[in-house]
Amino acid sequence: MTDLSTTLCGISLDNPVIAASGTFGYGREFAELYDINMLGTFSFKGTTIEPRFGNPTPRIAETPSGMLNSVGLQNPGAEHVITHELPEMKRYFKKKVMANISGFSIDDYVKTAAIFDSQEQVGWLELNISCPNVHGGGMAFGTSPESAAEVTSEVRKACRKPLIVKLSPNVSDIAKIASACENAGADAVSLINTLLGMRIDLKKRAPILANVTGGLSGPCVFPLALRMVWQVKRAVSIPVVGMGGVSSASDVIEMMLAGASAVEAGAANLVNPYACRDIINALPAECEKYGITKLSDIIGGVKI
Amino acid sequence: MKESVFTVKKNTKIAADIYEMKLSGDTSDFTSPGQFAEIRIPGFYLRRPISVCDIEGGVLTLIYKTVGAGTDSLSRVCSGGTLDLLTGLGNGYDLSKSGEAPLVIGGGVGIPPMYLLCKRLTAEGKTVTAALGFNTSTDMFYVKEFEKICPRVIIATADGSYGVRGFITDAAKGAPHTFYYACGPRPMLDSTVRTFGACGQISLEERMGCGFGACMGCSVVTKSGARRVCKDGPVFDAGEIYFGGDVK
């Protein structure tokens, strides 16, 4: 039997599969379908200090082998998450959850991080500096090494839990940004967030998304995400969490060979609500197929 | 919600760009009219949400319009083929609010879910008036089926090629009713609420990602805050929704 366990910033995971933020809500919809305690963990819906409705609809469009979304960080706000979602989550999720936080200023990020840093249920903070769907914040912090480092170091000062910085692929050199985050005190980086895309409704000659552009995810981004995970792994010595189009057990193995210590699956949950369960169930046989007895042994093991 | 494989028994064109698909499979998760299924169409990434038109003896009837490559591909699925469905999605209409003489208003592809609703209301002994609106006579479907179960059926076509000329909300104005249920394009719903007030339930439509409440793609601002059309709806009390002229 393959040993699927891995470690992320000192916290052990039964397996490397993490449901990605924005595709798993606060877990409740999935907990109605299967026991989500089988997951490595999940990263909850990107949360901001104030509640947000997000962008106008339509905010979903299909693409070949993927989708665009321009949800724009809809969430009930940090206070509501602490008073309602986390207590509720206790009933169906017994593991440490990853708190995905976002903001529009350094002050926002620091305040939100501090709020979740004090929550016993939270294992890691995932700092989203890469949302392509909000203006004046989000991705703005993740597109230059200087601003990425600045927000990372300010949040670092405000929290004790492991800090994972989630990176944007919409940059010219993601490895440089990952290094800047590492130097600023990040305990890990996760990548990739979505790629900025667009679709046009031919009948209306207008964008399908009310926000005009949106973030691309799904299997179509997997090779690009894999390449970036590999590049970042070579540039940093902190753990890398790989994501982007992961939909199968073999995708997980590929991501880990490229350098991922753990792997997030996102869009796959939306088309197959059992995607993470299916991936985890398929992992042992898939590992055996490639002679892997301890999955964490292969991290970064791609032979170049 | 349940994920299960259905077998296509029938998939035929019943009006211009309108198809009726009958499938056999596990329909046990559908509990009320107005709920929908998410169909996985081979070759397309996102599932397609289609409302339930009828359930009878383990046979699920879906009526859909071909509006793009996905539904076009769906229309070419042959009988005997199988499809992966998520069933029992969304909250349907609340039959307990109907009173003795409910008015059921459907426009275009908003009509299919109203068939099961009328059937269930009739089975409960209610005197149902069905008001069905189409653009033109070649778009019409299921009129005979509605006539079989409803004592009164009002038809309107926008171009006057069948029934009352104009919009269905105008044609149904004055129909005595205890409560109304509506499903159709947004302008029709706006006009329904203007004409009949807040004493009704309406079904909203929005582009969806997942269909079961995870992605927040289909949210709508209601008078009680942000709601997901797929999970908190698609059926809402008319008084909860902001309509044209209302300020969000």
Side-chain angles (χ1 to χ4, degrees):
Chain A
M1 191 70 178
T2 310
D3 177 1
L4 299 181
S5 66
T6 187
T7 304
L8 184 58
C9 307
I11 302 175
S12 61
L13 300 176
D14 295 334
N15 63 71
V17 179
I18 301 171
S21 179
T23 65
F24 216 73
Y26 295 92
R28 197 183 314 162
E29 291 74 20
F30 295 86
E32 286 168 14
L33 301 176
Y34 66 97
D35 182 4
I36 63 171
N37 289 291
M38 75 183 294
L39 298 171
T41 184
F42 73 95
S43 182
F44 66 55
K45 175 70 190 165
T47 300
T48 51
I49 192 90
E50 299 292 339
R52 284 177 56 80
F53 175 72
N55 290 319
T57 57
R59 48 195 197 184
I60 299 288
E62 191 179 55
T63 72
S65 293
M67 62 182 285
L68 294 175
N69 89 80
S70 58
V71 170
L73 297 173
Q74 181 182 339
N75 77 91
E79 193 56 42
H80 185 274
V81 172
I82 284 184
T83 53
H84 292 83
E85 300 296 344
L86 288 182
E88 174 76 10
M89 195 186 293
K90 240 180 211 161
R91 294 195 305 112
Y92 55 76
F93 193 61
K94 313 293 178 198
K95 293 181 170 179
K96 299 280 187 197
V97 71
M98 194 179 283
N100 185 287
I101 60 176
S102 200
F104 295 86
S105 66
I106 288 183
D107 193 44
D108 279 359
Y109 278 107
V110 168
K111 276 187 188 148
T112 314
I115 288 172
F116 288 110
D117 193 56
S118 63
Q119 297 299 309
E120 184 262 329
Q121 282 162 277
V122 172
W124 311 257
L125 298 167
E126 186 175 43
L127 197 66
N128 178 5
I129 57 165
S130 45
C131 175
N133 292 322
V134 295
H135 302 287
M139 194 171 84
F141 288 97
T143 48
S144 90
E146 293 76 24
S147 56
E150 193 186 356
V151 67
T152 302
S153 98
E154 291 305 313
V155 170
R156 173 74 290 166
K157 286 178 212 159
C159 64
R160 289 164 303 141
K161 290 193 197 284
L163 178 62
I164 303 170
V165 182
K166 185 169 176 178
L167 304 179
S168 171
N170 302 297
V171 295
S172 52
D173 188 349
I174 195 167
K176 211 175 256 179
I177 294 178
S179 294
C181 293
E182 178 179 30
N183 295 333
D187 298 297
V189 286
S190 59
L191 60 136
I192 57 174
N193 203 318
T194 57
L195 283 147
L196 200 57
M198 178 175 173
R199 299 237 46 193
I200 292 172
D201 180 327
L202 296 182
K203 283 180 196 151
K204 295 181 184 160
R205 299 193 185 187
I208 292 177
L209 299 173
N211 193 48
V212 183
T213 59
L216 178 66
S217 60
C220 57
V221 309
F222 179 75
L224 187 144
L226 189 79
R227 180 264 293 178
M228 288 188 160
V229 165
W230 175 67
Q231 285 178 324
V232 165
K233 180 64 185 175
R234 294 202 303 174
V236 299
S237 52
I238 51 177
V240 176
V241 180
M243 81 187 95
V246 171
S247 317
S248 66
S250 63
D251 290 347
V252 170
I253 296 172
E254 236 182 298
M255 272 289 181
M256 293 183 77
L257 280 170
S261 296
V263 177
E264 295 190 27
N269 293 305
L270 306 179
V271 292
N272 171 15
Y274 300 98
C276 284
R277 179 199 69 180
D278 294 351
I279 290 170
I280 293 163
N281 285 341
L283 263 174
E286 197 67 14
C287 286
E288 267 171 46
K289 207 157 116 186
Y290 301 104
I292 301 163
T293 50
K294 185 167 170 47
L295 189 50
S296 61
D297 284 348
I298 71 160
I299 296 167
V302 59
K303 297 176 190 165
I304 306 287
Chain B
M1 175 170 81
K2 216 174 233 176
E3 185 190 24
S4 52
V5 174
F6 280 67
T7 303
V8 177
K9 295 287 169 196
K10 194 178 164 219
N11 188 19
T12 49
K13 196 171 186 172
I14 56 170
D17 301 329
I18 302 282
Y19 289 77
E20 180 191 50
M21 179 180 269
K22 287 186 181 284
L23 309 106
S24 65
D26 179 1
T27 59
S28 60
D29 255 36
F30 290 113
T31 53
S32 61
Q35 289 182 298
F36 64 98
E38 279 268 27
I39 308 182
R40 189 161 215 173
I41 303 172
F44 294 84
Y45 192 64
L46 295 176
R47 292 170 183 265
R48 296 299 190 273
I50 311 276
S51 60
V52 171
C53 172
D54 195 14
I55 297 170
E56 188 71 66
V59 176
L60 175 69
T61 304
L62 304 174
I63 291 180
Y64 60 94
K65 186 176 185 178
T66 51
V67 292
T71 41
D72 189 56
S73 177
L74 187 64
S75 75
R76 282 181 271 109
V77 175
C78 299
S79 50
T82 56
L83 289 169
D84 176 332
L85 267 68
L86 299 179
T87 60
L89 300 175
N91 295 305
Y93 293 101
D94 182 352
L95 274 71
S96 72
K97 295 185 173 179
S98 75
E100 283 314 302
L103 171 63
V104 175
I105 307 165
V109 279
I111 290 172
M114 303 327 244
Y115 180 70
L116 184 60
L117 174 64
C118 287
K119 238 172 97 169
R120 295 276 163 86
L121 287 167
T122 302
E124 289 186 2
K126 313 295 182 190
T127 308
V128 184
T129 300
L132 314 176
F134 302 93
N135 278 323
T136 182
S137 61
T138 52
D139 289 351
M140 286 170 50
F141 60 88
Y142 260 54
V143 171
K144 279 200 182 76
E145 283 80 353
F146 275 94
E147 283 171 348
K148 262 180 229 162
I149 54 170
C150 302
R152 188 171 180 217
V153 178
I154 303 166
I155 308 286
T157 52
D159 65 357
S161 52
Y162 190 93
V164 182
R165 183 194 192 96
F167 294 120
I168 190 59
T169 39
D170 294 327
K173 206 180 281 179
H177 64 278
T178 47
F179 193 77
Y180 73 83
Y181 299 96
C183 183
R186 191 58 196 248
M188 187 203 96
L189 298 178
D190 286 351
S191 148
T192 300
V193 176
R194 266 199 311 275
T195 309
F196 299 101
C199 202
Q201 284 194 316
I202 58 160
S203 181
L204 297 182
E205 187 176 43
E206 190 49 74
R207 272 180 187 262
M208 291 176 185
C210 62
F212 51 88
C215 74
M216 304 289 171
C218 63
S219 298
V220 59
V221 178
T222 70
K223 290 173 187 171
S224 49
R227 292 285 177 272
R228 298 159 294 182
V229 169
C230 69
K231 179 85 175 178
D232 305 310
V235 173
F236 292 93
D237 288 334
E240 276 293 291
I241 303 300
Y242 290 107
F243 285 96
D246 283 355
V247 179
K248 277 183 189 173

